Amino acid sequence: MPLRLFKPQEYIQESSGILVRNREGVPLHIQALEQDILRTTFQPDGHWRLDRTWMIVGKKGEAPREGRKRDDLSAFRCPPVQYLDEKNKIKISTNELQVTLQKNPFWVKIENKEGKLLALDDAYRYETRKESLRVESLASKKENYYGLGEKSGSLNKTGRRFVFHNRDALGYNARSSDPLYKHFPFLLCWQPGLQVAFGILYDNLAQTEMGLNPAFGQGAGLRTYQVENGDLDAYFILGPSIPQVVEKLVRLTGLPVLPPRYTLGYLASSMGYTEGDDAEQRVEEFREKCAEHEIPCDLFHLSSGYCKAEDGKRTVFHWNRKRFPDPKQAIEKFHDAGMQISANIKPCLLTSHPKYGEVRSIGAFIRRKDDAEPLVSPFWGGRGSFIDFTNPKGWEWWQEQAGKELLDQGIDSLWNDNNEFDLPGKNAEADGFGKPISADLFSPLQTLLMTRASYEVQKKHKPKERPFTITRAGCPGIQRYAQTWTGDNTSSWNTLRYNLPMGLGLGLSGMPNYGHDVGGFFGKKPSAELFLRWVQHGIFMPRFCIHSWRLDRSANEPWMFPEMLPLVREAIYLRYRLLPYLYSLFHEASQTGHPIQRPLMYEFPEDPRAWDESFSFMLGANLLVSNVLRKGEKVHPVYLPAGSAWYDLWTGELVEGGQTISVEVSLETIPLFARAGGMIPTGNVRMPIHSDEDDFRQMACFPEKKGCSQFMLYEDDGISLDHQKGKYSLIHLQMESDEKTIRVKGEFSHHGYPLSYKKIDVVVPGEEKRKLVAEGLCRIAK
């Protein structure tokens, strides 16, 4: 049956918006939450199908575990709007936005304060019995679409259709597969002609489809949003700049958490290490080889083989004592080597799990609708039931097991895996904190709450330290608790290339802390060249983790190709030297939501060449990374955006922007360019990060011909929560340059943490003519 078209009959003026109803009383509500944020709600049943939200935070930046009431707008100012009722049109206006509703035929238009068209919703369609609804908007040919979280393909998503549904996607194609692991229904639109950006966040956890002006077929010429259940609850966010859209998005969904500093180092993992009875020996060999080859490693992922029962089934929280006879002792050996341990956990108990009956008896599983018995479905070679994290009994049981079986044994952090909760939507329901929720509305919610439960139990276990949590699946809100990665990718050049824009989309969607399995998780062993290029690329990701799974239990490891080991080691050392810069970017992300890894269009939206650039990126605002991502490449093209001059980081040569240059490359080459005016603080390589005193800082300066620039260097102890009490230091670094002099100054913007170094050594690569002056905390390097 085709969806019904919404035709209004009644228009009701409100102080901050307008309420519209059709003949059946179905309400469409448009309200100004702020001068630059509008909310549109559409409830085909006349009331909320799910009356709570877990995406949108309250005044203190958090959502209650049981969810916030959708009608609770206490976190917003809800400014009064100007209201004008004409013959066939109604206009409501804030200081920044104008909304026009045409009565017949009905459509909704959004313009900026200058009257420039931003969006035009042409039709609202719904079907109450099938519970689906659809919004059709006329698409401008001048719009470019970004964001959408973790999606395949190029950076600019214009012309494609996407499904949002958490799904285990083992061995996916990074260029074309859809859906993937995460549900991020957030669209960032850039209108170059107006130099205006806006975002639309759809607060709905049901399976969703978006069409972004596809060239052919249904939806051509339209931007469409269709969801299988729930209601329309859409937040329209005016930038007008791209960074401002991201800033406002994370104010809605929550600021990213600042992780411990050690998580910026090399994170090691391979599923094969723990799959056999020689697991303890395999991980011992890994530690020995790190020492032998002088490879720093700060965290080791303990894959699920540690809880693999004798019948081959995974039994979460239940140690295999043949493989690890004494878990505490095994973990202490990692700690003695300076490595933290993160244990893999899964939200499903197989029916053969020794504690399945216990959890069933307390009613803590996701249940069948018809008889309230646990829903049993296929999972990892068996059949099992998922913990219900909307049930306080499930939440408490989970945290009790994580504390007793893992954290009390010495495990440092929790790695949430296989947590897509991809369950049949019509035959399953969750407790919903006393108000049952059907499965087609709760899958991303279960993922979010599992991640939160893991985060909070770690905080409870070590109340003075920052928790570190990892999750594979997710939705807007996971950035409040966790780091993520793009799942079980494939070892191929195609994956190396297209994982990059996939991650950039996450960063534009409010999730800055992500990475990709370096070397590829699934498939054939990478070639020596592919592995090296992947490491050289991976060191610039927020999460740098080498990971893999192969049936022969072989692993992606830094020393897997002896002929490449010196270059792999050199790349990893570069990562460690960049940690002061990276950590400052993590702090910036925790305060603003700004991506750590940024598409060129984020920093250079006025440059048309930047709008579609998918395979180069900015690390922060100052460093352009254009890695070699093609097999056998000898000459590598690099586009340097207009609006800046660029320094070759290795030669110091200054090149004007707005052009593509050709760089001759060998296996040793990592093409890096510093933005004129940029400052990049660095440190020494320490193995691991907290192995000795961090007593050296150097800052590479790349001056403009004439100009001023600045950078905020962030320092704290890297592990505790004391930064929340003001025990951190922010050093304001300033550079002024003209044709004769380069003047660099460092001074405290906030001084709450004692530095382990006395001065910051200043170097200006390639600069010989101008006089260099250092002041305050800066000094000229000898």
Side-chain angles (χ1 to χ4, degrees), residues 421-562:
F421 290 86
D422 185 8
L423 296 171
K426 301 299 181 184
N427 190 39
E429 69 178 10
D431 178 74
F433 302 97
K435 296 179 67 176
I437 307 172
S438 63
D440 52 353
L441 282 170
F442 73 47
S443 291
L445 170 59
Q446 293 285 352
T447 295
L448 179 64
L449 291 177
M450 176 190 177
T451 305
R452 179 172 178 171
S454 299
Y455 173 87
E456 290 185 358
V457 73
Q458 291 173 83
K459 195 172 182 180
K460 187 187 305 181
H461 189 261
K462 291 184 178 180
K464 294 184 179 181
E465 294 187 10
R466 287 174 230 175
F468 176 56
T469 311
I470 311 165
T471 182
R472 185 169 79 173
C475 65
I478 59 168
Q479 74 278 1
R480 305 192 293 255
Y481 315 110
Q483 178 187 83
T484 191
W485 84 104
T486 54
D488 298 341
N489 61 358
T490 304
S491 295
S492 71
W493 288 94
N494 178 70
T495 304
L496 172 60
R497 283 176 60 79
Y498 282 95
N499 266 166
L500 172 53
M502 185 182 294
L504 295 175
L506 275 167
L508 291 174
S509 304
M511 181 60 195
N513 191 354
Y514 59 81
H516 322 285
D517 284 350
V518 170
F521 174 81
F522 181 72
K524 296 180 179 179
K525 178 180 177 180
S527 67
E529 181 190 3
L530 175 56
F531 180 70
L532 173 64
R533 292 305 191 194
W534 217 317
V535 171
Q536 291 172 336
H537 186 58
I539 61 172
F540 301 107
M541 301 296 150
R543 167 182 166 91
F544 171 50
C545 178
I546 301 176
H547 188 30
S548 58
W549 170 54
R550 295 187 184 86
L551 293 176
D552 63 1
R553 295 182 64 203
S554 64
N556 291 343
E557 297 168 319
W559 45 82
M560 65 189 295
F561 298 105

Side-chain angles (χ1 to χ4, degrees), residues 96-136:
E96 299 294 332
L97 291 167
Q98 302 179 51
V99 181
T100 301
L101 293 81
Q102 179 170 285
K103 297 179 182 178
N104 187 24
F106 181 69
W107 48 248
V108 178
K109 178 171 65 175
I110 301 176
E111 300 167 309
N112 64 10
K113 61 184 178 182
E114 287 82 22
K116 301 296 185 181
L117 178 65
L118 302 178
L120 177 59
D121 291 346
D122 190 50
Y124 295 83
R125 302 181 186 273
Y126 65 100
E127 188 9 89
T128 53
R129 286 181 296 170
K130 292 186 177 180
E131 300 175 329
S132 61
L133 63 88
R134 176 182 174 93
V135 180
E136 298 175 356

Side-chain angles (χ1 to χ4, degrees), residues 493 529-530 533 628-635 665 667:
W493 288 94
E529 181 190 3
L530 175 56
R533 292 305 191 194
V628 177
L629 306 177
R630 293 186 186 276
K631 181 180 180 180
E633 196 168 58
K634 302 299 182 183
V635 178
V665 295
L667 291 176

Side-chain angles (χ1 to χ4, degrees), residues 177-192:
S177 291
D178 188 64
L180 296 172
Y181 301 89
K182 298 176 182 67
H183 176 97
F184 269 76
F186 169 73
L187 180 65
L188 192 154
C189 303
W190 170 243
Q191 293 193 343

Side-chain angles (χ1 to χ4, degrees), residues 770-782:
R770 290 181 281 186
K771 180 181 178 181
L772 180 59
V773 178
E775 300 175 346
L777 293 171
C778 295
R779 68 184 177 192
I780 309 301
K782 297 180 180 179

Side-chain angles (χ1 to χ4, degrees), residues 15-17 32-37 76-81 94:
S15 63
S16 59
L33 301 182
E34 305 289 350
Q35 299 288 351
D36 48 12
I37 299 178
F76 305 101
R77 287 187 281 264
C78 298
V81 298
T94 71

Side-chain angles (χ1 to χ4, degrees), residues 8-11 18 83-91 100-107:
Q9 295 291 320
E10 182 182 19
Y11 299 84
I18 186 170
Y83 189 93
L84 178 62
D85 191 346
E86 299 176 341
K87 183 177 181 180
N88 193 39
K89 292 181 181 178
I90 295 176
K91 293 183 178 181
T100 301
L101 293 81
Q102 179 170 285
K103 297 179 182 178
N104 187 24
F106 181 69
W107 48 248

